[in-house]
mmCIF file of all heavy atoms in Angstrom:
data_model
loop_
_atom_site.group_PDB
_atom_site.id
_atom_site.type_symbol
_atom_site.label_atom_id
_atom_site.label_comp_id
_atom_site.label_asym_id
_atom_site.label_seq_id
_atom_site.Cartn_x
_atom_site.Cartn_y
_atom_site.Cartn_z
ATOM 1 N N GLY A 1088 152.282 101.709 82.985
ATOM 2 C CA GLY A 1088 151.883 103.109 83.003
ATOM 3 C C GLY A 1088 151.071 103.472 84.231
ATOM 4 O O GLY A 1088 151.065 104.625 84.662
ATOM 5 N N ARG A 1089 150.403 102.464 84.821
ATOM 6 C CA ARG A 1089 149.627 102.730 86.030
ATOM 7 C C ARG A 1089 150.529 102.993 87.236
ATOM 8 O O ARG A 1089 150.058 103.492 88.266
ATOM 9 C CB ARG A 1089 148.685 101.553 86.305
ATOM 10 C CG ARG A 1089 147.520 101.479 85.313
ATOM 11 C CD ARG A 1089 146.470 100.481 85.749
ATOM 12 N NE ARG A 1089 146.838 99.122 85.412
ATOM 13 C CZ ARG A 1089 146.526 98.514 84.273
ATOM 14 N NH1 ARG A 1089 145.838 99.162 83.350
ATOM 15 N NH2 ARG A 1089 146.884 97.267 84.056
ATOM 16 N N ASP A 1090 151.820 102.662 87.093
ATOM 17 C CA ASP A 1090 152.779 102.943 88.161
ATOM 18 C C ASP A 1090 153.547 104.240 87.907
ATOM 19 O O ASP A 1090 154.493 104.552 88.629
ATOM 20 C CB ASP A 1090 153.782 101.781 88.298
ATOM 21 C CG ASP A 1090 153.140 100.520 88.856
ATOM 22 O OD1 ASP A 1090 152.269 100.653 89.739
ATOM 23 O OD2 ASP A 1090 153.490 99.423 88.409
ATOM 24 N N VAL A 1091 153.148 104.954 86.832
ATOM 25 C CA VAL A 1091 153.807 106.224 86.488
ATOM 26 C C VAL A 1091 152.943 107.381 86.966
ATOM 27 O O VAL A 1091 151.735 107.404 86.737
ATOM 28 C CB VAL A 1091 154.042 106.335 84.971
ATOM 29 C CG1 VAL A 1091 154.651 107.694 84.621
ATOM 30 C CG2 VAL A 1091 154.955 105.214 84.488
ATOM 31 N N THR A 1092 153.573 108.324 87.626
ATOM 32 C CA THR A 1092 152.888 109.532 88.084
ATOM 33 C C THR A 1092 153.608 110.743 87.503
ATOM 34 O O THR A 1092 154.840 110.824 87.549
ATOM 35 C CB THR A 1092 152.907 109.634 89.620
ATOM 36 O OG1 THR A 1092 152.383 108.434 90.187
ATOM 37 C CG2 THR A 1092 152.075 110.823 90.092
ATOM 38 N N ILE A 1093 152.851 111.666 86.930
ATOM 39 C CA ILE A 1093 153.420 112.908 86.400
ATOM 40 C C ILE A 1093 153.207 113.995 87.444
ATOM 41 O O ILE A 1093 152.069 114.276 87.835
ATOM 42 C CB ILE A 1093 152.761 113.314 85.072
ATOM 43 C CG1 ILE A 1093 152.803 112.159 84.064
ATOM 44 C CG2 ILE A 1093 153.450 114.550 84.503
ATOM 45 C CD1 ILE A 1093 154.175 111.715 83.659
ATOM 46 N N VAL A 1094 154.314 114.588 87.908
ATOM 47 C CA VAL A 1094 154.233 115.601 88.972
ATOM 48 C C VAL A 1094 154.939 116.879 88.540
ATOM 49 O O VAL A 1094 155.822 116.853 87.676
ATOM 50 C CB VAL A 1094 154.872 115.068 90.280
ATOM 51 C CG1 VAL A 1094 154.149 113.825 90.760
ATOM 52 C CG2 VAL A 1094 156.358 114.786 90.084
ATOM 53 N N PRO A 1095 154.561 118.017 89.145
ATOM 54 C CA PRO A 1095 155.247 119.282 88.844
ATOM 55 C C PRO A 1095 156.679 119.261 89.384
ATOM 56 O O PRO A 1095 157.002 118.543 90.339
ATOM 57 C CB PRO A 1095 154.401 120.330 89.577
ATOM 58 C CG PRO A 1095 153.114 119.655 89.915
ATOM 59 C CD PRO A 1095 153.415 118.212 90.064
ATOM 60 N N PHE A 1096 157.513 120.068 88.783
ATOM 61 C CA PHE A 1096 158.918 120.158 89.183
ATOM 62 C C PHE A 1096 159.052 120.742 90.580
ATOM 63 O O PHE A 1096 158.347 121.672 90.957
ATOM 64 C CB PHE A 1096 159.663 121.054 88.188
ATOM 65 C CG PHE A 1096 161.113 121.258 88.504
ATOM 66 C CD1 PHE A 1096 162.061 120.322 88.144
ATOM 67 C CD2 PHE A 1096 161.528 122.407 89.180
ATOM 68 C CE1 PHE A 1096 163.410 120.521 88.434
ATOM 69 C CE2 PHE A 1096 162.865 122.613 89.472
ATOM 70 C CZ PHE A 1096 163.809 121.665 89.098
ATOM 71 N N GLU A 1097 159.968 120.146 91.342
ATOM 72 C CA GLU A 1097 160.370 120.689 92.634
ATOM 73 C C GLU A 1097 161.891 120.672 92.684
ATOM 74 O O GLU A 1097 162.550 119.971 91.912
ATOM 75 C CB GLU A 1097 159.801 119.849 93.781
ATOM 76 C CG GLU A 1097 158.280 119.844 93.863
ATOM 77 C CD GLU A 1097 157.771 118.971 95.002
ATOM 78 O OE1 GLU A 1097 158.608 118.563 95.837
ATOM 79 O OE2 GLU A 1097 156.567 118.693 95.043
ATOM 80 N N GLU A 1098 162.447 121.396 93.603
ATOM 81 C CA GLU A 1098 163.908 121.513 93.697
ATOM 82 C C GLU A 1098 164.567 120.135 93.843
ATOM 83 O O GLU A 1098 165.675 119.914 93.326
ATOM 84 C CB GLU A 1098 164.283 122.405 94.883
ATOM 85 C CG GLU A 1098 165.786 122.660 95.009
ATOM 86 C CD GLU A 1098 166.393 123.320 93.780
ATOM 87 O OE1 GLU A 1098 165.696 124.127 93.122
ATOM 88 O OE2 GLU A 1098 167.566 123.017 93.474
ATOM 89 N N GLN A 1099 163.888 119.224 94.496
ATOM 90 C CA GLN A 1099 164.477 117.881 94.699
ATOM 91 C C GLN A 1099 164.684 117.120 93.392
ATOM 92 O O GLN A 1099 165.441 116.143 93.346
ATOM 93 C CB GLN A 1099 163.582 117.058 95.620
ATOM 94 C CG GLN A 1099 162.184 116.806 95.045
ATOM 95 C CD GLN A 1099 161.331 115.938 95.939
ATOM 96 O OE1 GLN A 1099 161.778 114.898 96.412
ATOM 97 N NE2 GLN A 1099 160.100 116.377 96.198
ATOM 98 N N TYR A 1100 164.043 117.595 92.312
ATOM 99 C CA TYR A 1100 164.188 116.921 91.026
ATOM 100 C C TYR A 1100 165.192 117.621 90.110
ATOM 101 O O TYR A 1100 165.344 117.228 88.947
ATOM 102 C CB TYR A 1100 162.833 116.841 90.319
ATOM 103 C CG TYR A 1100 161.775 116.102 91.115
ATOM 104 C CD1 TYR A 1100 160.530 116.682 91.351
ATOM 105 C CD2 TYR A 1100 162.021 114.833 91.625
ATOM 106 C CE1 TYR A 1100 159.555 116.019 92.078
ATOM 107 C CE2 TYR A 1100 161.057 114.155 92.358
ATOM 108 C CZ TYR A 1100 159.829 114.754 92.582
ATOM 109 O OH TYR A 1100 158.874 114.083 93.315
ATOM 110 N N SER A 1101 165.881 118.631 90.600
ATOM 111 C CA SER A 1101 166.844 119.375 89.785
ATOM 112 C C SER A 1101 167.933 118.460 89.237
ATOM 113 O O SER A 1101 168.302 118.534 88.052
ATOM 114 C CB SER A 1101 167.489 120.501 90.595
ATOM 115 O OG SER A 1101 166.538 121.476 90.940
ATOM 116 N N LYS A 1102 168.455 117.605 90.097
ATOM 117 C CA LYS A 1102 169.531 116.707 89.682
ATOM 118 C C LYS A 1102 169.043 115.750 88.596
ATOM 119 O O LYS A 1102 169.739 115.522 87.587
ATOM 120 C CB LYS A 1102 170.045 115.920 90.885
ATOM 121 C CG LYS A 1102 171.202 114.992 90.560
ATOM 122 C CD LYS A 1102 171.675 114.239 91.802
ATOM 123 C CE LYS A 1102 172.816 113.278 91.462
ATOM 124 N NZ LYS A 1102 173.265 112.491 92.639
ATOM 125 N N ALA A 1103 167.858 115.182 88.777
ATOM 126 C CA ALA A 1103 167.312 114.247 87.785
ATOM 127 C C ALA A 1103 167.056 114.968 86.464
ATOM 128 O O ALA A 1103 167.338 114.411 85.390
ATOM 129 C CB ALA A 1103 166.018 113.622 88.300
ATOM 130 N N PHE A 1104 166.542 116.195 86.512
ATOM 131 C CA PHE A 1104 166.269 116.966 85.297
ATOM 132 C C PHE A 1104 167.553 117.153 84.494
ATOM 133 O O PHE A 1104 167.578 116.967 83.272
ATOM 134 C CB PHE A 1104 165.665 118.323 85.669
ATOM 135 C CG PHE A 1104 165.351 119.198 84.487
ATOM 136 C CD1 PHE A 1104 164.433 118.796 83.530
ATOM 137 C CD2 PHE A 1104 165.971 120.437 84.349
ATOM 138 C CE1 PHE A 1104 164.143 119.611 82.436
ATOM 139 C CE2 PHE A 1104 165.687 121.250 83.262
ATOM 140 C CZ PHE A 1104 164.763 120.833 82.311
ATOM 141 N N ARG A 1105 168.623 117.484 85.190
ATOM 142 C CA ARG A 1105 169.900 117.703 84.504
ATOM 143 C C ARG A 1105 170.484 116.385 84.006
ATOM 144 O O ARG A 1105 170.865 116.260 82.835
ATOM 145 C CB ARG A 1105 170.896 118.392 85.437
ATOM 146 C CG ARG A 1105 172.182 118.816 84.735
ATOM 147 C CD ARG A 1105 173.194 119.399 85.702
ATOM 148 N NE ARG A 1105 174.222 120.123 85.001
ATOM 149 C CZ ARG A 1105 175.228 119.568 84.314
ATOM 150 N NH1 ARG A 1105 175.324 118.242 84.253
ATOM 151 N NH2 ARG A 1105 176.119 120.314 83.698
ATOM 152 N N GLU A 1106 170.565 115.387 84.872
ATOM 153 C CA GLU A 1106 171.244 114.143 84.515
ATOM 154 C C GLU A 1106 170.534 113.388 83.399
ATOM 155 O O GLU A 1106 171.189 112.820 82.511
ATOM 156 C CB GLU A 1106 171.394 113.260 85.758
ATOM 157 C CG GLU A 1106 172.398 113.806 86.770
ATOM 158 C CD GLU A 1106 172.563 112.890 87.974
ATOM 159 O OE1 GLU A 1106 171.756 111.933 88.111
ATOM 160 O OE2 GLU A 1106 173.504 113.124 88.761
ATOM 161 N N LEU A 1107 169.222 113.352 83.439
ATOM 162 C CA LEU A 1107 168.489 112.643 82.393
ATOM 163 C C LEU A 1107 168.697 113.293 81.031
ATOM 164 O O LEU A 1107 168.870 112.613 80.012
ATOM 165 C CB LEU A 1107 166.995 112.594 82.729
ATOM 166 C CG LEU A 1107 166.593 111.649 83.864
ATOM 167 C CD1 LEU A 1107 165.144 111.874 84.273
ATOM 168 C CD2 LEU A 1107 166.801 110.199 83.447
ATOM 169 N N ASN A 1108 168.708 114.633 80.998
ATOM 170 C CA ASN A 1108 168.908 115.332 79.735
ATOM 171 C C ASN A 1108 170.344 115.223 79.239
ATOM 172 O O ASN A 1108 170.582 115.030 78.044
ATOM 173 C CB ASN A 1108 168.509 116.803 79.878
ATOM 174 C CG ASN A 1108 167.054 117.036 79.507
ATOM 175 O OD1 ASN A 1108 166.682 117.034 78.341
ATOM 176 N ND2 ASN A 1108 166.231 117.227 80.531
ATOM 177 N N VAL A 1109 171.304 115.335 80.146
ATOM 178 C CA VAL A 1109 172.713 115.211 79.744
ATOM 179 C C VAL A 1109 172.959 113.819 79.170
ATOM 180 O O VAL A 1109 173.644 113.659 78.148
ATOM 181 C CB VAL A 1109 173.654 115.483 80.942
ATOM 182 C CG1 VAL A 1109 175.089 115.090 80.590
ATOM 183 C CG2 VAL A 1109 173.597 116.953 81.333
ATOM 184 N N GLU A 1110 172.399 112.802 79.839
ATOM 185 C CA GLU A 1110 172.565 111.429 79.358
ATOM 186 C C GLU A 1110 171.979 111.268 77.965
ATOM 187 O O GLU A 1110 172.611 110.685 77.066
ATOM 188 C CB GLU A 1110 171.881 110.459 80.323
ATOM 189 C CG GLU A 1110 171.973 108.999 79.901
ATOM 190 C CD GLU A 1110 171.237 108.065 80.853
ATOM 191 O OE1 GLU A 1110 170.232 108.503 81.453
ATOM 192 O OE2 GLU A 1110 171.661 106.906 80.984
ATOM 193 N N TRP A 1111 170.783 111.794 77.760
ATOM 194 C CA TRP A 1111 170.105 111.643 76.467
ATOM 195 C C TRP A 1111 170.832 112.415 75.366
ATOM 196 O O TRP A 1111 171.109 111.874 74.285
ATOM 197 C CB TRP A 1111 168.667 112.130 76.588
ATOM 198 C CG TRP A 1111 167.920 112.030 75.286
ATOM 199 C CD1 TRP A 1111 167.278 110.941 74.788
ATOM 200 C CD2 TRP A 1111 167.772 113.064 74.308
ATOM 201 N NE1 TRP A 1111 166.740 111.224 73.558
ATOM 202 C CE2 TRP A 1111 167.028 112.513 73.240
ATOM 203 C CE3 TRP A 1111 168.199 114.385 74.228
ATOM 204 C CZ2 TRP A 1111 166.702 113.257 72.099
ATOM 205 C CZ3 TRP A 1111 167.874 115.112 73.088
ATOM 206 C CH2 TRP A 1111 167.127 114.551 72.047
ATOM 207 N N ILE A 1112 171.133 113.696 75.623
ATOM 208 C CA ILE A 1112 171.782 114.522 74.597
ATOM 209 C C ILE A 1112 173.162 113.971 74.245
ATOM 210 O O ILE A 1112 173.530 113.864 73.070
ATOM 211 C CB ILE A 1112 171.892 115.986 75.075
ATOM 212 C CG1 ILE A 1112 170.495 116.596 75.238
ATOM 213 C CG2 ILE A 1112 172.711 116.821 74.074
ATOM 214 C CD1 ILE A 1112 170.481 117.937 75.944
ATOM 215 N N SER A 1113 173.934 113.594 75.260
ATOM 216 C CA SER A 1113 175.299 113.111 75.024
ATOM 217 C C SER A 1113 175.326 111.778 74.287
ATOM 218 O O SER A 1113 176.322 111.448 73.641
ATOM 219 C CB SER A 1113 176.046 112.971 76.359
ATOM 220 O OG SER A 1113 176.107 114.215 77.033
ATOM 221 N N THR A 1114 174.249 111.010 74.380
ATOM 222 C CA THR A 1114 174.190 109.730 73.681
ATOM 223 C C THR A 1114 174.155 109.923 72.174
ATOM 224 O O THR A 1114 174.760 109.147 71.419
ATOM 225 C CB THR A 1114 172.955 108.926 74.122
ATOM 226 O OG1 THR A 1114 173.049 108.646 75.516
ATOM 227 C CG2 THR A 1114 172.842 107.609 73.351
ATOM 228 N N TYR A 1115 173.480 110.972 71.723
ATOM 229 C CA TYR A 1115 173.282 111.172 70.290
ATOM 230 C C TYR A 1115 174.022 112.385 69.725
ATOM 231 O O TYR A 1115 174.371 112.394 68.548
ATOM 232 C CB TYR A 1115 171.779 111.319 69.994
ATOM 233 C CG TYR A 1115 170.976 110.112 70.371
ATOM 234 C CD1 TYR A 1115 170.270 110.062 71.566
ATOM 235 C CD2 TYR A 1115 170.930 108.999 69.535
ATOM 236 C CE1 TYR A 1115 169.514 108.938 71.910
ATOM 237 C CE2 TYR A 1115 170.184 107.873 69.876
ATOM 238 C CZ TYR A 1115 169.485 107.853 71.058
ATOM 239 O OH TYR A 1115 168.754 106.737 71.399
ATOM 240 N N PHE A 1116 174.219 113.405 70.567
ATOM 241 C CA PHE A 1116 174.780 114.657 70.071
ATOM 242 C C PHE A 1116 175.852 115.158 71.045
ATOM 243 O O PHE A 1116 176.493 114.354 71.710
ATOM 244 C CB PHE A 1116 173.666 115.710 69.911
ATOM 245 C CG PHE A 1116 172.483 115.218 69.128
ATOM 246 C CD1 PHE A 1116 171.303 114.833 69.763
ATOM 247 C CD2 PHE A 1116 172.539 115.116 67.741
ATOM 248 C CE1 PHE A 1116 170.217 114.358 69.048
ATOM 249 C CE2 PHE A 1116 171.455 114.650 67.012
ATOM 250 C CZ PHE A 1116 170.292 114.275 67.677
ATOM 251 N N LYS A 1117 176.023 116.461 71.107
ATOM 252 C CA LYS A 1117 176.918 117.069 72.075
ATOM 253 C C LYS A 1117 176.168 118.180 72.792
ATOM 254 O O LYS A 1117 175.265 118.817 72.231
ATOM 255 C CB LYS A 1117 178.167 117.623 71.392
ATOM 256 C CG LYS A 1117 177.905 118.781 70.445
ATOM 257 C CD LYS A 1117 179.203 119.319 69.844
ATOM 258 C CE LYS A 1117 178.906 120.514 68.927
ATOM 259 N NZ LYS A 1117 180.137 121.074 68.334
ATOM 260 N N MET A 1118 176.520 118.390 74.026
ATOM 261 C CA MET A 1118 175.884 119.453 74.806
ATOM 262 C C MET A 1118 176.251 120.816 74.219
ATOM 263 O O MET A 1118 177.394 121.055 73.819
ATOM 264 C CB MET A 1118 176.341 119.369 76.258
ATOM 265 C CG MET A 1118 175.837 118.144 76.997
ATOM 266 S SD MET A 1118 174.085 118.278 77.442
ATOM 267 C CE MET A 1118 174.166 119.568 78.699
ATOM 268 N N GLU A 1119 175.258 121.730 74.173
ATOM 269 C CA GLU A 1119 175.487 123.078 73.662
ATOM 270 C C GLU A 1119 175.229 124.093 74.777
ATOM 271 O O GLU A 1119 174.668 123.772 75.826
ATOM 272 C CB GLU A 1119 174.571 123.337 72.457
ATOM 273 C CG GLU A 1119 174.803 122.362 71.302
ATOM 274 C CD GLU A 1119 173.877 122.609 70.117
ATOM 275 O OE1 GLU A 1119 173.600 123.802 69.822
ATOM 276 O OE2 GLU A 1119 173.430 121.642 69.486
ATOM 277 N N GLU A 1120 175.622 125.320 74.530
ATOM 278 C CA GLU A 1120 175.522 126.366 75.553
ATOM 279 C C GLU A 1120 174.092 126.540 76.045
ATOM 280 O O GLU A 1120 173.843 126.691 77.241
ATOM 281 C CB GLU A 1120 176.051 127.692 74.997
ATOM 282 C CG GLU A 1120 176.018 128.853 75.991
ATOM 283 C CD GLU A 1120 176.832 128.573 77.250
ATOM 284 O OE1 GLU A 1120 177.839 127.829 77.167
ATOM 285 O OE2 GLU A 1120 176.443 129.067 78.329
ATOM 286 N N LYS A 1121 173.138 126.509 75.127
ATOM 287 C CA LYS A 1121 171.742 126.677 75.518
ATOM 288 C C LYS A 1121 171.293 125.543 76.443
ATOM 289 O O LYS A 1121 170.452 125.734 77.325
ATOM 290 C CB LYS A 1121 170.844 126.709 74.274
ATOM 291 C CG LYS A 1121 170.972 127.973 73.451
ATOM 292 C CD LYS A 1121 170.229 129.131 74.065
ATOM 293 C CE LYS A 1121 168.732 128.946 73.965
ATOM 294 N NZ LYS A 1121 167.973 130.100 74.504
ATOM 295 N N ASP A 1122 171.856 124.345 76.248
ATOM 296 C CA ASP A 1122 171.529 123.222 77.117
ATOM 297 C C ASP A 1122 171.987 123.499 78.542
ATOM 298 O O ASP A 1122 171.231 123.306 79.504
ATOM 299 C CB ASP A 1122 172.196 121.937 76.614
ATOM 300 C CG ASP A 1122 171.669 121.482 75.265
ATOM 301 O OD1 ASP A 1122 170.448 121.503 75.080
ATOM 302 O OD2 ASP A 1122 172.492 121.118 74.415
#
């Protein structure tokens, strides 16, 4: 945890924001329009 840093969102993290959520949601459920 000492190697983890929590930072505010920037445009460079857009891809990670999408991919991490798609991976998680698709593992258990299905993507919905609101997603």
